[in-house]
Amino acid sequence: MSSPISRKWEHAVVTGGAGFVGSHLCKALLDAGAAVTCVDDLSTGRPENVAPLLDRPGFTLVQANVAEELPVRRRPDLVLHFASPASPADYLRLPLHTMQTGSAGTSNALTLAHECEARFVLASTSEVYGDPQQNPQDERYWGNVNPVGPRSVYDEAKRFGEALTTAHAETYGTDTCIVRLFNTYGPGMRGHDGRAVPTFVRQALAGEPLTVTGDGRQTRSLCYVDDTVAGILAAAAHGLRGPVNIGNPSEISMLALARLVVALAGSSSEVRYIERPVDDPAVRCPDITLARDKLGWEPRVGAEEGLRRTIDWFRAEAARD
């Protein structure tokens, strides 16, 4: 298999760049020699995520709501649209903001890319597959989504964003790519964002019971953030329009994940079962054949190594507080 494709970018705009994945993208692009404009309204992104980048040459932080405006002074050759509440705790708290970011925000980012003749990458999600009846999920699968359930504000915002991105490419010839991200985790996550990995790690380090929903048999596929970023940049560098799955095809149950976190953290925490959320997917696992074949990409960091790094980061953060 070939190595992931690389390409030299002069100036990248990253919407949602103060978020978890967005901030890692900003750093990777700066490390590769690109100037980066991070646009974020800080509704869910954290200033701390980009604080180490503020003094780096070529980095600019712009606080703005991309659904209302996208104030970028320098012409980009790459636009990465990653603005959106992404955790259930956030999009359930900000339902209209989530949908506006996925609709008007996506439109504004596409317009910027088109006017500047820039490559455009939409951060979509495995949530477009809903509670899938096919496992693993490949990009041809249309999904099983409740359009009016509590998760629909996020699921449908992303599905609309994909449709809008596709229509923009077909109507205006905009150079677009759609990446569907699967359960990314790693340093920089918020302990209370509601997702399984940061929740379990925070609870394990505090000696609290790990709250597993339902019977814990539902599965997820965890992709370490460095691998996710490498996949996104490989997709950006390629001419692929997508959608393309970026995730780790190793599937793990939530109960097994909880027990693994406890073991790696050296914790004495026990598991406590709580009610499972409405429309919570029973399975989640990407088919990454397309990413392997077209991009030469696949994840390299295994669950144990990635979780160790994540636990170490959370432990260091707690020591600073």
Side-chain angles (χ1 to χ4, degrees):
M1 186 180 67
S2 61
S3 299
I5 299 161
S6 62
R7 180 172 165 182
K8 181 74 173 178
W9 304 104
E10 296 296 327
H11 175 219
V13 170
V14 184
T15 73
F20 166 51
V21 176
S23 60
H24 283 270
L25 266 175
C26 288
K27 181 180 183 301
L29 286 161
L30 286 169
D31 290 346
V36 175
T37 297
C38 165
V39 183
D40 202 301
D41 66 359
L42 303 180
S43 58
T44 59
R46 301 192 307 163
E48 301 95 313
N49 286 343
V50 292
L53 308 180
L54 293 176
D55 294 330
R56 292 189 58 170
F59 182 77
T60 303
L61 173 61
V62 177
Q63 187 171 349
N65 180 350
V66 297
E68 298 174 355
E69 60 175 341
L70 196 45
V72 176
R73 294 182 179 178
R74 179 179 172 185
R75 183 184 182 93
D77 55 356
L78 176 64
V79 176
L80 295 152
H81 183 42
F82 279 68
S84 177
S87 74
D90 288 333
Y91 61 68
L92 293 175
R93 176 174 57 89
L94 299 166
L96 294 178
H97 178 64
T98 300
M99 300 201 77
Q100 288 160 357
T101 303
S103 53
T106 302
S107 179
N108 288 339
L110 280 163
T111 298
L112 174 66
H114 176 66
E115 290 178 347
C116 296
E117 298 182 329
R119 175 73 161 154
F120 175 87
V121 179
L122 174 70
S124 189
T125 172
S126 60
E127 292 300 317
V128 301
Y129 299 120
D131 188 7
Q133 297 175 335
Q134 170 184 305
N135 196 49
Q137 299 85 55
D138 65 37
E139 294 85 354
R140 294 167 298 179
Y141 178 55
W142 291 357
N144 178 38
V145 177
N146 179 356
V148 294
R151 302 171 72 99
S152 65
V153 295
Y154 183 63
D155 299 357
E156 297 295 2
K158 291 298 187 181
R159 286 162 70 94
F160 177 84
E162 289 198 10
L164 182 59
T165 298
T166 302
H168 219 276
E170 294 178 351
T171 303
Y172 298 120
T174 310
D175 183 13
T176 66
C177 178
I178 298 168
V179 292
R180 290 176 177 164
L181 309 184
F182 279 69
N183 303 113
T184 302
Y185 73 101
M189 300 189 85
R190 292 175 292 134
H192 291 274
D193 84 351
R195 287 179 276 199
V197 169
T199 299
F200 289 166
V201 171
R202 172 179 56 79
Q203 291 169 335
L205 292 179
E208 301 171 356
L210 273 65
T211 48
V212 172
T213 62
D215 60 11
R217 288 188 293 180
Q218 64 273 27
T219 68
R220 297 296 181 267
S221 298
L222 306 178
C223 192
Y224 189 66
V225 65
D226 290 358
D227 284 332
T228 295
V229 166
I232 293 163
L233 294 179
H238 196 280
L240 184 70
R241 181 187 290 188
V244 57
N245 290 335
I246 300 295
N248 193 320
S250 297
E251 204 170 359
I252 186 171
S253 75
M254 290 299 92
L255 180 57
L257 174 61
R259 289 172 173 165
L260 179 57
V261 168
V262 167
L264 293 174
S267 174
S268 59
S269 295
E270 298 181 349
V271 168
R272 178 165 62 89
Y273 295 95
I274 62 174
E275 186 177 359
R276 189 171 164 190
V278 175
D279 296 334
D280 183 49
V283 293
R284 182 71 84 235
C285 182
D287 182 325
I288 63 167
T289 301
L290 182 62
R292 281 195 180 111
D293 291 350
K294 296 294 185 181
L295 307 179
W297 173 88
E298 63 181 356
R300 300 178 181 277
V301 180
E304 289 196 16
E305 176 60 25
L307 287 169
R308 282 194 185 95
R309 296 180 192 178
T310 305
I311 291 166
D312 288 345
W313 182 85
F314 270 92
R315 186 176 277 125
E317 286 294 295
R320 279 194 284 268
D321 292 341

